[in-house]
Every structure is written in C-alpha cells, then in structure tokens.
C-alpha cells in the first residue's frame, strides 16, 4: 500500500466495490436467514485458516478488496472464497482473485482474472474448543503469465485451532510444491502463520497475525497483520485491516477489507 493516499481512480473503485459488497451481503443475508440460522465460519481476514469447517450444507462466501505496494509496484485484487462442508469432517474450498490489476511502477499495467485454488479439507474436532485440520490444495493456472506462473502448485496445510476464553488461536504450517520457480530457487516452499483473535464485545473483534514463507535459494517473506472485525449478527461479518512486510522481499504495505456471508442451504 502507498505511504500516501490512494489515487482517485483506485479510491473510487474501492468505494464502489465496498458499497456493492455491503448491498449484496445484506441481500444474501436476508435470503439465507429465511432458510436457517446456522452461524458462519469466517476464514478472513488472516492468512491462517481455521481448522473448523462451516455448518454442513451451508454454502458460505467471502469477498474482499486488497491493495498492496512494493517499491513502485502496486497490486490491487478482489479475493473471493466459497466454502462448503459435506459433514463436520469433510469440506471443499474454491477461491481466487476475481480480478487483478498489476502496475509494475515502470508504466506496464496488466489486468485480468487471478489463479483459482481448489482445496479438500478434513477437520478433526477434539472438543468444543479444540480442533485440528488438514488441507490438500491445488492452484489452477487460470491467470495470464503477467499475473500468475501458468503452472500448477500443490499445497498441504496443517492447522491447529484453539479457543482460549475470549481469545482464539489458529496455527498453520504448510508445504507447497510450486510448478515454477526462478533459477537457483527450490520449487518447494514452506510456510508458517499464527493468528490470535480477541473478542472486544459480542460484535467487535481484533486479529493480529504473523506469517511467512521460505524457499531454499531465496530470501524469506514475512509480514504482520492487524485487523478489526464487526459482526452485527452470527451470520454476517465485515473486516478491515492492514498488513506490513517485515522482510526485504515482502509486500511493503497492504490494505484490505471484506465480508463473509451465507449464500444458501444446499442440504
């Protein structure tokens, strides 16, 4: 994110998207509420996923805006995620960037759809406060080369989630076999993240997170994240926050905002 204001075009775009998300989420919320009152299970806004799955049969959607800056380069995107659990143990996730706008800072701008990620998830619920999770994911190269790598990536992610009173902890550890890497850089990438969420009230919460990735032959990419969440009820959550790179190769700053809503009860 720039260390000064957004440009007028970007700011106007984000405002329009935000208004659309708000209107759409209220509409989806009203329709879904007529069918069931099962609570949602947000994975936003942190990098870390929760081990818990959504309520079985309830299709949930997460939409957001993300704007990041590294040096003179800038990347704006519209991340999205669909989540569906078949049972308390098994579910699938389908996500990716609906739109990506890359500016390399040297006059080249590229726009298009991002890559798509498909994840099979297994949850191991120990009790009402503790759960483990495993995610097996594949990145499908749907983005053009200037946005993605045009190669498939495969990821195995392990998760530990724990409720500690008003606190909630999510720990993720993963390994990714990348389809493409720079010369001299391993195609294996490891990642770690730890997110702590705290309930300020019944509706308000804060999230703080550290996350990082590392590949042999390259510098690590580490960042910290701070977010505020607002849940007017158990079936609607908004979030807004900032992330800051704490290593030389990480994104300098990024701003994000989003919403989590149920779409439909499928079974």
């Amino acid at each position: 994110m720039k260390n000064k204001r957004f440009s007028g075009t970007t700011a106007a775009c984000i405002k329009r998207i935000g208004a659309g998300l708000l209107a759409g989420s209220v509409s989806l919320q009203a329709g879904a509420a007529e069918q069931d009152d099962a609570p949602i299970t947000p994975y936003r806004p942190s990098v870390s996923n929760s081990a818990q799955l959504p309520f079985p049969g309830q299709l949930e959607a997460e939409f957001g805006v993300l704007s990041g800056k590294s040096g003179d380069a800038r990347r704006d995107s519209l991340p999205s995620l669909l989540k569906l659990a078949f049972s308390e143990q098994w579910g699938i996730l389908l996500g990716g960037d609906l739109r990506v706008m890359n500016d390399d800072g040297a006059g080249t701008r590229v726009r298009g759809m991002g890559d798509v990620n498909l994840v099979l998830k297994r949850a191991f619920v120990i009790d009402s406060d503790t759960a483990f999770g495993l995610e097996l994911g594949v990145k499908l190269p749907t983005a053009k080369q200037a946005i993605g790598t045009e190669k498939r990536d495969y990821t195995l992610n392990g998760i530990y989630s724990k409720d500690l009173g008003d606190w909630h902890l999510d720990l993720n550890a993963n390994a990714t076999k990348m389809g493409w890497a720079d010369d001299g850089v391993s195609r294996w990438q490891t990642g770690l993240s730890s997110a702590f969420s705290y309930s300020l009230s019944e509706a308000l919460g804060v999230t703080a997170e550290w996350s990082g990735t590392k590949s042999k032959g390259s510098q690590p990419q580490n960042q910290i994240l701070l977010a505020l969440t607002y849940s007017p009820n158990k079936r609607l959550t908004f979030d807004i926050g900032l992330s800051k790179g704490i290593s030389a190769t990480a994104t300098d700053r990024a701003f994000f905002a989003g919403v989590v809503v149920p779409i439909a009860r499928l079974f």
Side-chain angles (χ1 to χ4, degrees):
M1 181 180 177
K2 293 181 180 178
N3 53 12
K4 57 183 180 180
R5 288 187 182 179
F6 290 134
S7 66
T9 301
T10 303
C13 180
I14 289 178
K15 287 179 180 178
R16 289 195 297 270
I17 292 168
L21 289 175
L22 177 59
S25 65
V26 170
S27 176
L28 290 171
Q29 169 79 0
E34 296 176 356
Q35 301 180 39
D36 199 270
D37 62 353
I40 57 174
T41 305
Y43 290 175
R44 290 185 56 87
S46 59
V47 173
S48 306
N49 276 350
S50 172
Q52 287 84 357
L53 284 161
F55 189 86
Q58 177 168 275
L59 180 62
E60 294 181 10
E62 304 190 356
F63 301 105
V65 294
L66 174 64
S67 181
K69 188 173 185 300
S70 296
D72 293 329
R74 185 186 188 91
R75 187 180 193 273
D76 299 316
S77 62
L78 303 176
S80 65
L81 178 67
L82 294 175
K83 314 192 300 284
L84 177 65
F86 305 112
S87 66
E88 292 185 354
Q89 293 79 34
W90 291 97
I92 56 171
L93 315 175
L94 180 66
D97 292 323
L98 297 175
R99 186 72 172 172
V100 177
M101 295 156 277
N102 273 349
D103 184 342
D104 67 359
T108 301
R109 296 180 176 85
V110 180
R111 294 175 174 82
M113 178 183 176
D115 291 321
V116 171
N117 294 289
L118 178 63
V119 177
L120 176 65
K121 184 163 186 169
R122 174 69 159 93
F124 303 86
V125 180
I126 306 304
D127 53 42
S128 60
D129 296 328
T130 309
F132 293 89
L134 276 178
E135 295 177 339
L136 178 61
V138 56
K139 185 202 78 175
L140 305 175
T142 53
K144 61 180 68 174
Q145 187 175 20
I147 294 175
T149 63
E150 296 188 317
K151 301 291 183 181
R152 290 188 181 183
D153 298 344
Y154 298 92
T155 300
L156 180 64
N157 185 40
I159 309 169
Y160 171 71
S161 296
K162 179 73 174 180
D163 285 332
L164 304 165
D166 291 334
W167 291 86
H168 178 80
L169 167 66
D170 290 315
L171 297 176
N172 285 208
N174 49 70
T176 299
K177 178 64 178 298
M178 297 182 293
W180 179 89
D182 290 327
D183 292 339
V185 177
S186 172
R187 288 170 59 189
W188 282 99
Q189 177 180 274
T190 56
L192 289 172
S193 62
S194 57
F196 289 87
S197 302
Y198 180 73
S199 299
L200 297 172
S201 67
E202 190 171 324
L204 288 175
V206 292
T207 298
E209 180 187 55
W210 172 90
S211 62
T213 59
K214 178 68 171 69
S215 297
K216 186 176 180 181
S218 67
Q219 295 295 314
Q221 298 190 39
N222 303 318
Q223 70 168 19
I224 54 175
L225 173 151
L226 185 62
L228 178 69
T229 61
Y230 172 62
S231 303
N233 58 63
K234 63 182 181 180
R235 294 174 61 76
L236 179 63
T237 296
F238 298 97
D239 64 74
I240 187 169
L242 297 166
S243 64
K244 175 73 171 67
I246 54 175
S247 62
T249 55
T251 301
D252 293 342
R253 295 180 182 86
F255 162 84
F256 56 86
V259 64
V260 185
V261 292
I263 295 180
R265 187 70 182 273
L266 300 183
F267 52 85

